[in-house]
Amino acid sequence: MTATSQWRKYSRVLVIGVQNTLVYRANFLFRASISLIPLLGTLQVWRTIYGDQAPGSLVGGYSLSAMISYYLIVNVIDALTAVADDDWEVAADIRDGKISQFLLRPIDYLTYRLCLYLSGRAIYTTVALIPVTLFTLWLRQDFVWPGHGLTYLLFGIAVFMGGLIQFLIAYLVALLAFWFLDVSTLIFIQFAFEYIASGHLFPLDLLPPALQTAISLTPYPYLSYFPASVYLERLSQSQLVFGFLVESSWLIVAYAVARWAWSRGLRRYTAVGG
Amino acid sequence: MKTAHYYWTIYLALWRNSVTREMQFKVNFLLWIVVELLWFALQLAFMQVLYSQTESIGGWTRWQVILLVGISNLIQQLFTAIFLTNVNDLSEHVRTGKLDFMLLLPVNTRFLISLRKVDLGSFINASFAGVVIAYAGLQLGLHPTIAQFLGFALVCVAGISVHYSIMFLLATIAFSTVRAQGILTGYYNLFNIARLPDGAFRRGTFKAVFTFVLPMLLVANVPAKTLMGFPSAPGQIALLLAMSAVCFVVSELFWRWSLKRYTSASS
């Protein structure tokens, strides 16, 4: 099959994905807005912590502005990349035997899912842009912008690869549905690790060194902490190069494992209900 | 008295059903406890990280905040155990028309809807929260008097009741829109605020809203202050009790008003 016909096929999937998720735009707007409230609470707590120190002092190497910007930028990254219902849908497709139709047609399930993820994220980000921008503007006094133009490009690349890794991790956990009847607990357990080890809750360099080392051996920091550090220009040149090398290696590993797990899983697949 | 006995018998039967249902999926039952434990550990880890950078937050020390996180978790788990799934199911009852059937039963409909299922795993999670509370209490050298302890239990019940009333109110919106589910999940998000020490918030809109409209900053903070014997505790206890009464009355009025306008989804 030629590249153009491949492209036409999957661009249809993208369009369908956009149409399907547009239905939920009001829901997205609500979700994006309400998630800002706990964030506001966390920021207030940090402000109080800084307020008790001498003015202008650093906490864990972060100024107040850097700390607030960290949370705001992680919030933006989250809107851009968070996996919404993709893992639940993949698990349900396997459990209910719905993947049989993909096995019979010239369509690749992983690519199909990736298209749906990308279109879903595109819509969510567009909708979430409204409350997130307003929120960021409101806190603009403490929001730092990068000093170099190049930073935006590097940030974009780091977020994009991080998003793909996040998608592949979610996809992999969902594939466990080939082996287990109910994977919802596994999805939540994975999510708990992701929540803390990605740097969503706090910048990871606030942790004791031993824990930092342990976390740096996982792909999780590349989901939020690494892109945010790129944005805040906290990394030296060699740290940047090393970070991007490790991030792309994780992406390749995650992709390879996802392919492998799919083919292993299919051997166990019994096409329930099909 | 006779009515109380009647309702008690019904509630026991509902309990028996729940136990039978949960024991069908034992592994899943245990895994859900692991999930909740992880999230609880995560909250505690977050506070540990904050206190690795500072001695106190708005006047609250490390162990005081850990006590607060424990209490907030205790209240959240007890709420989940008794009410959460039931309140969540309301929109489904409206959509499928099952509510019509419940309205016909010779029992208060709100009672039946609110207490139909019991989530047993959450009681076990609540006991973990109890362990953390006890440990933090030891670290703080607390020796609560019996009066303090009873006051603590009372405000915990008030806190659970606040969560329940607000969530029930939001679920009642299901009568006019099918989107109530998203609103409920949204509210559940706000539980995150309950475990933050109120001393960290200066006077302002945020504090006012989450004290007098959605009293998240009272739900766990007041029980914690009661147990620690803060001088401000008596006034705060009165405030939480008043707010929980207001929330309950408002939710009951809205429920009755919605039922009057209810035209059934089926038939």
Side-chain angles (χ1 to χ4, degrees):
Chain A
M1 207 177 278
T2 63
T4 29
S5 74
Q6 283 280 14
W7 164 248
R8 275 178 47 197
K9 182 166 68 184
Y10 289 110
S11 63
R12 273 314 298 167
V13 179
L14 277 170
V15 172
I16 293 169
V18 166
Q19 287 167 343
N20 280 341
T21 34
L22 266 178
V23 180
Y24 300 107
R25 59 193 181 276
N27 189 359
F28 284 174
L29 185 65
F30 178 78
R31 236 186 357 193
S33 311
I34 201 110
S35 72
L36 295 176
I37 296 174
L39 175 62
L40 191 60
T42 310
L43 291 183
Q44 285 262 12
V45 170
W46 277 112
R47 268 185 208 280
T48 308
I49 293 174
Y50 277 91
D52 289 344
Q53 323 277 328
S57 54
L58 302 180
V59 173
Y62 288 80
S63 67
L64 175 63
S65 300
M67 188 61 86
I68 288 181
S69 303
Y70 179 86
Y71 280 94
L72 291 176
I73 209 69
V74 163
N75 187 44
V76 170
I77 297 169
D78 196 51
L80 284 165
T81 63
V83 170
D85 291 329
D86 307 75
D87 35 12
W88 300 96
E89 288 168 13
V90 171
D93 278 356
I94 294 170
R95 197 186 49 228
D96 303 339
K98 282 193 193 137
I99 55 164
S100 303
Q101 51 172 318
F102 294 97
L103 302 175
L104 299 172
R105 288 173 198 164
I107 201 163
D108 174 55
Y109 190 69
L110 177 57
T111 318
Y112 168 79
R113 269 289 146 196
L114 183 62
C115 288
L116 289 186
Y117 166 72
L118 292 176
S119 52
R121 280 300 95 196
I123 298 299
Y124 185 84
T125 307
T126 316
V127 175
L129 209 60
I130 306 162
V132 169
T133 310
L134 287 177
F135 190 74
T136 311
L137 278 178
W138 181 47
L139 295 171
R140 65 188 172 281
Q141 274 183 328
D142 288 309
F143 191 68
V144 275
W145 298 92
H148 297 278
L150 184 64
T151 302
Y152 290 99
L153 179 70
L154 293 178
F155 174 67
I157 298 171
V159 170
F160 185 69
M161 289 205 287
L164 291 179
I165 295 175
Q166 187 165 18
F167 164 77
L168 288 168
I169 292 176
Y171 180 79
L172 262 168
V173 176
L175 287 193
L176 290 173
F178 280 123
W179 291 272
F180 303 100
L181 198 59
D182 183 7
V183 292
S184 47
T185 44
L186 302 175
I187 289 178
F188 274 114
I189 290 172
Q190 193 283 130
F191 187 55
F193 280 110
E194 183 183 308
Y195 201 69
I196 197 157
S198 69
H200 196 102
L201 219 43
F202 47 79
L204 294 176
D205 47 359
L206 298 186
L207 285 170
L211 267 175
Q212 271 187 59
T213 318
I215 288 179
S216 71
L217 297 174
T218 73
Y220 289 121
Y222 295 93
L223 307 188
S224 297
Y225 176 69
F226 177 67
S229 304
V230 170
Y231 179 90
L232 294 171
E233 297 172 332
R234 292 176 65 84
L235 303 173
S236 68
Q237 209 159 16
S238 57
Q239 281 174 319
L240 270 176
V241 174
F242 180 73
F244 275 107
L245 276 176
V246 178
E247 185 173 25
S248 28
S249 318
W250 273 120
L251 184 54
I252 295 166
V253 169
Y255 179 77
V257 176
R259 284 288 180 206
W260 173 78
W262 173 259
S263 66
R264 294 295 301 206
L266 279 185
R267 291 189 211 166
R268 305 246 331 180
Y269 181 59
T270 50
V272 188
Chain B
M1 195 58 224
K2 218 175 149 204
T3 343
H5 179 75
Y6 176 59
Y7 278 93
W8 180 243
T9 325
I10 296 175
Y11 194 51
L12 284 184
L14 293 170
W15 255 86
R16 263 196 306 279
N17 288 345
S18 300
V19 175
T20 321
R21 196 167 31 230
E22 299 249 26
M23 285 308 116
Q24 288 176 323
F25 308 100
K26 289 187 201 71
V27 176
N28 221 30
F29 178 80
L30 292 175
L31 272 177
W32 275 117
I33 293 172
V34 173
V35 170
E36 286 294 328
L37 259 181
L38 264 177
W39 283 98
F40 186 32
L42 222 116
Q43 295 160 18
L44 292 170
F46 177 57
M47 291 306 173
Q48 287 288 6
V49 166
L50 289 185
Y51 279 97
S52 71
Q53 307 298 327
T54 184
E55 288 292 304
S56 88
I57 301 175
W60 289 65
T61 63
R62 178 191 301 254
W63 288 106
Q64 288 178 328
V65 165
I66 289 179
L67 183 81
L68 175 70
V69 173
I71 292 172
S72 136
N73 200 260
L74 175 77
I75 289 173
Q76 181 173 343
Q77 293 297 345
L78 289 177
F79 164 75
T80 309
I82 304 169
F83 297 114
L84 182 69
T85 32
N86 302 312
V87 178
N88 261 327
D89 286 346
L90 178 58
S91 61
E92 199 60 15
H93 296 327
V94 174
R95 207 178 58 79
T96 56
K98 207 174 168 192
L99 182 67
D100 301 10
F101 170 69
M102 293 191 205
L103 285 168
L104 292 175
L105 294 174
V107 55
N108 180 301
T109 312
R110 181 170 180 172
F111 167 85
L112 187 64
I113 289 175
S114 305
L115 298 170
R116 243 164 47 96
K117 289 183 206 160
V118 186
D119 181 0
L120 296 169
S122 299
F123 282 112
I124 295 172
N125 295 322
S127 70
F128 292 130
V131 172
V132 170
I133 294 170
Y135 189 73
L138 280 178
Q139 293 290 329
L140 289 165
L142 294 184
H143 295 285
T145 60
I146 292 184
Q148 250 179 320
F149 202 78
L150 290 176
F152 169 73
L154 177 70
V155 279
C156 281
V157 171
I160 296 167
S161 157
V162 164
H163 280 325
Y164 162 67
S165 300
I166 296 179
M167 202 111 171
F168 192 80
L169 178 81
L170 295 175
T172 312
I173 297 175
F175 283 106
S176 37
T177 167
V178 284
R179 288 172 208 272
Q181 203 54 47
I183 301 176
L184 290 184
T185 323
Y187 175 70
Y188 209 64
N189 249 318
L190 300 187
F191 278 39
N192 288 329
I193 298 172
R195 56 175 161 270
L196 300 177
D198 65 355
F201 298 91
R202 279 180 217 93
R203 274 164 205 275
T205 328
F206 190 91
K207 192 164 186 176
V209 167
F210 289 105
T211 307
F212 298 109
V213 185
L214 297 169
M216 290 300 109
L217 287 176
L218 296 178
V219 164
N221 273 280
V222 177
K225 288 178 187 173
T226 310
L227 210 52
M228 293 188 289
F230 275 30
S232 65
Q236 294 258 302
I237 293 174
L239 182 60
L240 177 57
L241 292 178
M243 284 309 294
S244 77
V246 169
C247 290
F248 186 77
V249 170
V250 170
S251 80
E252 179 66 17
L253 289 177
F254 187 61
W255 163 247
R256 290 189 184 177
W257 181 76
S258 305
L259 267 191
K260 263 188 205 150
R261 297 184 40 196
Y262 177 62
T263 50
S264 173
S266 62
S267 64

